[in-house]
């Protein structure tokens, strides 16, 4: 993330919002957690996906709405010449 920030500043990129996340395949939060658990402890099968509705089913009071699809768009960073590494390759390292 720091490298992306310094690149945007050094390139005098246009003012705006630049999403910053690993590139590569878009996965659900459960898929990402499963990959992290598998890489760290070899127990990725223990991650159980939970829908947003189920997660907040017993919440008291208002709940902030969650997007159905929350993938970030790296085209802003790429337009100023910065390419984020693939998150799955980085996780392996």
């Amino acid at each position: 993330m720091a490298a992306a920030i310094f690149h945007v500043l050094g390139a005098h990129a246009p003012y705006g919002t630049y999403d910053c996340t690993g590139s590569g395949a878009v996965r659900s939060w459960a898929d990402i957690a499963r990959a992290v658990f598998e890489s760290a402890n070899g127990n990725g099968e223990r991650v159980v996906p939970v829908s947003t509705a189920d997660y907040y089913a017993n919440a008291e009071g208002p709940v902030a709405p969650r997007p159905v699809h929350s993938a970030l768009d790296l085209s802003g960073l790429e337009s100023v010449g910065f390419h984020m590494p693939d998150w799955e390759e980085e996780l392996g390292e």
Side-chain angles (χ1 to χ4, degrees):
M1 183 178 285
I5 292 169
F6 284 118
H7 181 86
V8 168
L9 293 173
H12 302 288
Y15 177 81
T17 300
Y18 294 85
D19 290 336
C20 185
T21 187
S23 66
V26 175
R27 302 281 189 231
S28 71
W29 286 110
D31 290 336
I32 294 168
R34 191 174 296 114
V36 170
F37 273 62
E38 189 61 36
S39 178
N41 303 312
N43 63 349
E45 76 283 352
R46 296 195 60 184
V47 174
V48 178
V50 177
S51 71
T52 301
D54 288 342
Y55 186 79
Y56 290 115
N58 297 320
E60 295 179 19
V63 174
R66 310 299 281 185
V68 173
H69 183 70
S70 59
L72 298 178
D73 180 4
L74 297 175
S75 63
L77 277 179
E78 292 168 353
S79 74
V80 296
F82 192 86
H83 299 280
M84 293 297 294
D86 184 288
W87 73 270
E88 290 178 284
E89 291 174 13
E90 292 291 300
L91 180 61
E93 291 181 22

